[in-house]
Amino acid sequence: MRDFGQDHSALALNTASLGHNLDGAGAGWSSEQLIDACAERGFGGIVYWRRELGDRAQQIGERTRAAGLAVAGLCRTPLMVGPGTPQPLEDEVRASIDMAAALGAPVLTIVTGGTEPGTKGLGPSWDLLAERVAVACDHAARQGVKLALEPLNPMFGGNRTCLFTVADAYEICRRVNHPALGIAVDVYHVWWDSRLTESLAAAKGLILGYHLCDWLAETSHMLLDRGMMGDGVADLRAIRAAVEAAGYAGFCEVEIFSAEDWWKRDPREVLDTMVDRFRRFC
Ligand code: ZN
């Protein structure tokens, strides 16, 4: 297991942590400000969201690399099944993959979407998801991008996800069986899973991303009250040990949706805190 006590070059910022995901939240920094602030603090990479790039994906990718940082990934495809699926879906999936390629992002995250309207439970949605992910993988492979299925905490079932565990995501990987497909592991979504270590071992070689935050014991909002590493109850070192045992040696990206706390603070303080907590608790 890597030792981050004296070295945080594996630390990446997911820009959601500075609050841009909600209109009116966060300090409203430009991508350029954010890149410079991360470079000054020795971050290794940045993960962007599509909504902040517009038609500047290539430019922002180049600016990131010129500052000595890696583009670690892009969030995310549109929802691919369930009630929130855009029309026409295939065009928007391709556009998200093309944006990742223009940005130079090696990985694009998939939040699957929930249960397909007119169906119940998970079976029909999984069938449809596997079919659509397979099509997306062909395009991603042509563009040199990998797709990472991100299972979400079960409380997001219904409208946002039909994958709740690493084991669920692995089952879709197994069915699709495409070299462009893997799994993103987010502490917020998997910390509770007592079978996580075994599931990660089964998925060895397929882990494409690792997302950091913490689970607050007294959380107040299921989407927007994530904790800073060290403030909650997730066993961060144990999770990372299992993720690394499954072959992952890439960036650890901090992804903290926190409307009432971290998004209200000065981004400089948020970034400094991340570095400190990463070294001490992750
Ligand atoms: Zn995540």
Side-chain angles (χ1 to χ4, degrees), residues 14 109 150 185-186 189 211 226 253 255 257:
N14 182 308
T109 309
E150 182 167 352
V185 179
D186 187 322
H189 297 304
H211 307 174
R226 291 183 176 213
E253 67 178 82
E255 185 183 35
F257 300 84

Side-chain angles (χ1 to χ4, degrees), residues 96-160:
S96 66
I97 293 167
D98 293 346
M99 182 181 275
L103 179 66
V107 177
L108 174 68
T109 309
I110 299 176
V111 171
T112 64
T115 295
E116 184 67 9
T119 73
K120 303 279 186 188
L122 302 177
S125 297
W126 279 25
D127 292 344
L128 201 56
L129 177 68
E131 226 172 80
R132 291 174 175 175
V133 166
V135 173
C137 282
D138 286 337
H139 187 64
R142 283 192 292 273
Q143 290 284 48
V145 172
K146 292 204 171 188
L147 303 178
L149 291 165
E150 182 167 352
L152 305 191
N153 189 298
M155 67 186 172
F156 293 113
N159 63 355
R160 200 179 286 259

Side-chain angles (χ1 to χ4, degrees), residues 248-265:
Y248 185 72
F251 287 108
C252 305
E253 67 178 82
V254 178
E255 185 183 35
I256 299 175
F257 300 84
S258 174
E260 297 303 323
D261 187 353
W262 296 99
W263 290 359
K264 291 190 164 168
R265 303 195 196 197

Side-chain angles (χ1 to χ4, degrees), residues 16-241:
S17 303
L18 298 187
H20 78 281
N21 280 72
L22 206 66
D23 286 329
W29 276 15
S30 67
S31 299
E32 286 77 2
Q33 266 175 295
L34 186 142
I35 291 164
D36 291 341
C38 285
E40 271 167 33
R41 288 165 176 79
F43 278 64
I46 300 180
V47 176
Y48 294 98
W49 284 69
R50 284 165 67 204
R51 59 177 283 168
E52 70 208 46
L53 300 179
D55 57 2
R56 298 204 302 147
Q58 189 179 343
Q59 187 188 333
I60 292 173
E62 283 166 5
R63 179 72 166 71
T64 307
R65 288 181 287 275
L69 293 154
V71 173
L74 178 66
C75 300
R76 57 177 174 69
T77 63
L79 303 181
M80 295 179 73
V81 290
T85 307
Q87 294 299 331
L89 174 65
E90 208 172 314
D91 290 359
E92 199 171 328
V93 172
R94 289 172 74 99
S96 66
I97 293 167
D98 293 346
M99 182 181 275
L103 179 66
V107 177
L108 174 68
T109 309
I110 299 176
V111 171
T112 64
T115 295
E116 184 67 9
T119 73
K120 303 279 186 188
L122 302 177
S125 297
W126 279 25
D127 292 344
L128 201 56
L129 177 68
E131 226 172 80
R132 291 174 175 175
V133 166
V135 173
C137 282
D138 286 337
H139 187 64
R142 283 192 292 273
Q143 290 284 48
V145 172
K146 292 204 171 188
L147 303 178
L149 291 165
E150 182 167 352
L152 305 191
N153 189 298
M155 67 186 172
F156 293 113
N159 63 355
R160 200 179 286 259
T161 193
C162 56
L163 302 180
F164 306 122
T165 60
V166 168
D168 288 354
Y170 176 64
E171 173 59 18
I172 300 299
C173 286
R174 204 188 56 75
R175 289 192 196 182
V176 175
N177 191 26
H178 197 294
L181 187 62
I183 299 169
V185 179
D186 187 322
V187 162
Y188 191 73
H189 297 304
V190 305
W191 74 275
W192 57 272
D193 182 358
S194 59
R195 306 285 303 166
L196 180 64
T197 301
E198 294 88 330
S199 302
L200 283 166
K204 191 161 187 169
L206 289 174
I207 309 307
L208 298 176
Y210 178 52
H211 307 174
L212 278 171
C213 66
D214 211 333
W215 181 276
L216 298 175
E218 300 293 338
T219 188
S220 65
H221 191 288
M222 71 181 201
L223 184 63
L224 301 177
D225 190 32
R226 291 183 176 213
M228 179 64 72
M229 298 85 77
D231 288 343
V233 296
D235 191 345
L236 299 176
R237 287 246 166 81
I239 297 171
R240 184 164 67 85

